Amino acid sequence: MRDQPLTVLGIETSCDETAAAVVRCTADGARIVLSDAIRSQVDEHAAFGGVVPEIAARAHISILDRMIETAMSEAGVGFEDLDAVAATAGPGLIGGVIVGLMTAKAVALAAGKPLVAVNHLEGHALTARLTDDLAFPYLLLLVSGGHTQFLLVEGVGAYRRLGSTIDDAIGEAFDKTAKLLGLGYPGGPAVERAARDGDPARFRLPRPMLDRPGLALSFAGLKTAVRTAAYEAAPLDAQAVADLCASFQAAVTDVVGEKSRRALAAFAEAHPDTPPVLVVAGGVAANTAIRARLDSVAHDAGARLVAPPARLCTDNAAMIAWAGIERLRVARARGEILDDRDAAPRPRWPLDDTAQAAYGAGRKGAKA
Ligand code: KG4
Ligand code: ZN
């Protein structure tokens, strides 16, 4: 399909990554990440075992202008070459969201360009179209430090949340388990490393929500079960820590695997004539055990598993720029002008809200 080319600057500040990127969609539909600047705040938060909102907001303020400068110069474009500025307007830590959105508004205003206020989850949801040119519809499993949910992605702005966690996100459960066992932050990679030498059958941990139908998930109880098991086995030697990590990871893997099987069945019911595709995104997608289970679940369901490269499926600004491009293309096709210049930053913003126009009804829900 020939279209007008679009070049968009994206800005992401909703958690602990300060990122700016320039993405272009050419007239013949090719997608090019012209630049993708990112700085993680892991060092600032490591001492606290998790992200501290106030520290995150201050770190975004001190570095965002330089990240934008870097993204623009690496892309080799000037502000006059942009078609729009896209920024995450939520959901996320509100201090950081305010910094990114207000900066984007200032840049857009000064450059005389429209602003696209992007839902961070929409950024994750559409990334597979940037990286793999995927057609709608597909199933998305988003598993990160802040989010755990299954989404039916049926079009730009047409998202149906099939199920999500009712308490902690999976990454958060990994981080809290690591903190409890003294393994440092971020916890996911540390737990996975420790689990390699562990016995997953030594500790009998629960598989929360598997006994109930549906796609809701829960990880708070599992985290508590790890704490109880750790106290009972104390003092912990290296083998006990490894066994606890392996047992925890096995429980999470069982839950994610079974829920994914059910989600693929729900996809097949909603779209019986579409070859099923399961896209996995978020930092937890890096976990080898979880990835292997998803592979086998997808295989059993006759589905293709698509996992965008880690750099683009964890938090980044290219996905925000790309979501901006997708929304601009839809607006243009409808003959509408898109400019969210008066958008407000939102700590909570369920993706289904965005779907109101497509579905006629939105649903409020937990951030995760
Ligand atoms: O997507 P992401 O980079 O940032 C957001 O949370 O938005 O995800 C980070 C999360 C952290 O909770 C981290 O512990 C987890 O992903 N994570 C992992 C692994 N690598 C990162 N969890 C399990 N296994 C891993 N290998
Ligand atoms: Zn994210």
Side-chain angles (χ1 to χ4, degrees):
M1 179 186 76
R2 284 198 75 79
D3 211 343
Q4 274 177 301
L6 284 168
T7 305
V8 170
L9 165 68
I11 292 172
E12 160 60 38
T13 54
S14 68
C15 192
D16 61 341
E17 259 91 29
T18 312
V22 179
V23 176
R24 175 172 291 160
C25 186
T26 66
D28 52 8
R31 297 108 208 257
I32 309 167
V33 178
L34 294 175
S35 64
D36 178 19
I38 187 159
R39 186 187 172 276
S40 168
Q41 302 172 0
V42 164
D43 295 343
E44 280 95 324
H45 301 292
F48 304 95
V51 179
V52 183
E54 176 73 19
I55 293 176
R58 286 166 186 262
H60 289 307
I61 288 181
S62 69
I63 202 167
L64 181 57
D65 54 352
R66 268 174 287 157
M67 298 307 287
I68 294 172
E69 213 171 25
T70 304
M72 294 297 290
S73 72
E74 281 178 4
V77 300
F79 291 111
E80 66 282 3
D81 301 316
L82 298 176
D83 291 285
V85 180
T88 297
L93 301 174
I94 194 63
V97 175
I98 290 173
V99 171
L101 185 60
M102 293 306 145
T103 305
K105 286 186 183 184
V107 172
L109 209 62
K113 305 291 179 182
L115 178 89
V116 187
V118 173
N119 183 313
H120 178 85
L121 299 171
E122 182 169 46
H124 282 301
L126 298 175
T127 299
R129 289 168 54 76
L130 168 66
T131 58
D132 292 74
D133 201 2
L134 216 57
F136 297 120
Y138 52 86
L139 179 66
L140 174 78
L141 168 59
L142 176 58
V143 278
S144 70
H147 305 284
T148 299
Q149 56 184 251
F150 289 102
L151 275 179
L152 200 50
V153 184
E154 297 176 310
V156 177
Y159 315 107
R160 276 197 273 172
R161 195 175 45 193
L162 299 178
S164 55
T165 181
I166 58 167
D167 41 54
D168 293 351
I170 301 191
E172 199 178 346
F174 270 94
D175 292 338
K176 288 178 177 172
T177 295
K179 191 176 179 182
L180 174 79
L181 299 174
L183 294 175
Y185 175 81
V191 169
E192 180 174 13
R193 226 174 296 122
R196 260 180 232 142
D197 305 316
D199 172 9
R202 172 161 168 201
F203 295 97
R204 296 179 64 82
L205 298 175
R207 268 63 177 159
M209 310 291 278
L210 276 198
D211 53 344
R212 295 195 215 164
L215 289 165
L217 301 121
S218 164
F219 296 98
L222 181 55
K223 175 194 68 194
T224 308
V226 171
R227 178 177 298 123
T228 307
Y231 283 134
E232 282 171 2
L236 301 176
D237 57 15
Q239 191 57 51
V241 168
D243 293 345
L244 268 169
C245 286
S247 302
F248 166 79
Q249 187 172 275
V252 170
T253 303
D254 282 353
V255 170
V256 172
E258 169 58 17
K259 295 285 175 173
S260 299
R261 190 191 64 72
R262 293 182 199 173
L264 278 164
F267 180 92
E269 205 166 288
H271 297 282
D273 302 324
T274 308
V277 176
L278 172 61
V279 178
V280 59
V284 183
N287 186 283
T288 318
I290 294 176
R291 183 78 78 90
R293 181 68 61 88
L294 291 175
D295 242 329
S296 95
V297 166
H299 180 265
D300 290 349
R304 184 157 73 94
L305 181 70
V306 172
R311 190 177 167 91
L312 290 174
C313 84
T314 56
D315 287 352
N316 67 88
M319 72 176 186
I320 303 303
W322 173 250
I325 288 177
E326 293 257 39
R327 299 242 335 262
L328 284 168
R329 289 204 304 188
V330 169
R332 278 191 178 174
R334 290 181 183 155
E336 296 167 0
I337 290 170
L338 177 61
D339 193 350
D340 300 326
R341 215 170 267 189
D342 53 2
R346 298 180 61 172
R348 286 175 187 261
W349 184 3
L351 200 44
D352 314 51
D353 258 18
T354 328
Q356 275 189 349
Y359 283 95
R363 234 180 332 130
K364 297 256 176 284
K367 181 191 123 189

